[in-house]
């Protein structure tokens, strides 16, 4: 039954969502599987997946790509900033308009808690950057968490809140410093002066830097999310780091294509929108095939659970605390360098996790 009638904003969001769904569905009538996943990734609609598909995404640790959360909101925010940059708007006007449009996107896709949390994170970061305030990613994350809890204190006990903030904190506390540490040692052409580099030298250096940064961020996210995966989902997705290295860039490409399709469709360029949808559907098919083949590899995942339910939030808290301490001492070799989080995870698995 209907508890209460939708207000004017909700009715408007429903109409816009229907319009956006029509644009994203152009040219995909013959591909219902990719179409369903496409709409889930862009509009947060429930994807119609077979049991095999669900298992593949769960066991590979990549099911998060179907929840409108940090990945989606972040990519849409970047796309909006690039789009608005063509209009030569002043920085403050650009960030205000970006946040307004991003807020509307979150409302249109259902205003789910993960999307709302991601919007607050992006809002704090963009405001600090474009208004030339002292930028501090950890402070922005803390501010977003505070506002979230002021609006809904019970979110503190939700799995999504705990995982999302623990993972983002890990990216800030461990991922960035570790990437910088590894990049200092990346010197593929150390004996060749940089002014003498050819295009292949620059491209090799750039590709290596991107790969190193991605590896560092993926490793930190894996450390932070594994205790939650074991405690809340009963899975140790040991292959999730490798899977996300491949799947996240492909998913980002799908989201960019979907955003471009929506812009083209709203501008009345249906042919371009249809072409972009078909390319996105092709990428989604590639993602499916890769994951279905990947989860068959030995060691990609294990069924596992903690010996007591309270160990899951405790492990998540210990991991975050370890990363906070490591960042506070600048990951000094005196305190084990960058290894304590990995050692903690290994100890938790050996002592407190049962398999099967």
């Amino acid at each position: 039954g209907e508890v209460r009638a939708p207000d004017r904003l909700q009715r408007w969001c429903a109409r816009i969502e229907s319009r956006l769904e029509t644009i994203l569905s152009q040219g995909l009538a013959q591909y219902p599987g990719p179409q369903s996943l496409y709409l889930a990734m862009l509009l947060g609609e429930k994807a119609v997946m077979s049991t095999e598909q669900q298992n593949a995404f769960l066991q590979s640790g990549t099911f998060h790509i179907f929840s409108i959360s940090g990945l989606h909101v972040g990519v849409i925010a970047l796309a909006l900033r690039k789009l608005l940059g063509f209009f030569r708007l002043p920085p403050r006007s650009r960030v205000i308009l970006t946040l307004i449009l991003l807020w509307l996107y979150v409302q249109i896709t259902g205003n789910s808690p993960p999307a709302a949390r991601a919007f607050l994170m992006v809002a704090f970061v963009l405001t600090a950057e474009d208004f030339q305030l002292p930028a501090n990613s950890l402070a922005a994350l803390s501010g977003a968490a505070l506002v979230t809890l002021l609006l809904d204190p019970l979110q503190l006990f939700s799995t999504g809140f705990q995982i999302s903030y623990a993972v983002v904190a890990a990216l800030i506390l461990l991922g960035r410093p570790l990437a910088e540490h590894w990049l200092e040692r990346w010197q593929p052409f150390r004996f060749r002066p940089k002014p003498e580099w050819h295009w292949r030298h620059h491209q090799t250096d750039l590709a290596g830097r991107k790969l190193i940064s991605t590896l560092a961020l993926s490793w930190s996210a894996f450390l932070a999310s594994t205790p939650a995966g074991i405690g809340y989902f009963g899975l140790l997705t040991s292959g999730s780091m490798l899977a996300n290295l491949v799947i996240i860039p492909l998913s980002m490409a799908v989201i960019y294509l979907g955003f471009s399709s929506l812009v083209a469709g709203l501008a009345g360029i249906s042919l371009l929108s249809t072409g972009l949808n078909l390319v996105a559907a092709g990428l989604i098919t590639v993602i499916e095939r890769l994951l279905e083949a990947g989860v068959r590899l030995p060691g990609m995942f294990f069924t596992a659970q903690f010996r007591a339910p309270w160990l899951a939030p405790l492990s998540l808290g210990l991991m975050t605390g370890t990363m906070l301490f490591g960042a506070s001492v600048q990951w000094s070799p005196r305190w084990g360098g960058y290894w304590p989080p990995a050692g903690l995870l290994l100890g938790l698995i050996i002592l407190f996790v049962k398999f099967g």
Side-chain angles (χ1 to χ4, degrees), residues 11 105 164 263 314:
R11 292 195 299 270
Y105 171 73
S164 60
V263 172
L314 176 63

Side-chain angles (χ1 to χ4, degrees), residues 175-297:
R176 285 182 179 176
L178 183 59
E180 293 172 1
H181 176 71
W182 285 349
L183 286 172
E184 288 176 0
R185 288 154 176 76
W186 171 248
Q187 299 178 15
F189 310 108
R190 67 179 67 187
F191 300 114
R192 189 183 188 99
K194 202 163 188 178
E196 296 182 6
W197 284 13
H198 299 296
W199 66 269
R200 62 179 182 277
H201 298 112
H202 289 285
Q203 292 302 316
T204 301
D205 180 64
L206 179 61
R209 289 183 171 276
K210 286 186 176 181
L211 179 60
I212 288 171
S213 299
T214 304
L215 281 171
L217 294 173
S218 297
W219 172 242
S220 59
F222 171 77
L223 291 174
S225 62
T226 296
I230 296 171
Y232 299 125
F233 304 109
L235 286 171
L236 171 57
T237 53
S238 47
S240 61
M241 180 178 167
L242 176 61
N244 280 293
L245 278 175
V246 178
I247 300 306
I248 286 183
L250 292 175
S251 301
M252 292 176 65
V254 171
I255 297 170
Y256 273 122
L257 287 167
F259 176 84
S260 302
S261 173
L262 291 174
V263 172
L266 292 172
I269 314 175
S270 300
L271 185 60
L272 176 59
S273 179
T274 300
L276 293 169
N277 291 340
L278 290 171
V279 175
L283 285 180
I284 290 173
T285 302
V286 171
I287 291 174
E288 289 184 83
R289 298 294 181 266
L290 288 174
L291 290 182
E292 289 172 1
V295 294
R296 298 192 188 101
L297 298 175

Side-chain angles (χ1 to χ4, degrees), residues 168-181:
V168 177
L171 297 177
I172 296 171
L173 297 170
L174 176 62
R176 285 182 179 176
L178 183 59
E180 293 172 1
H181 176 71

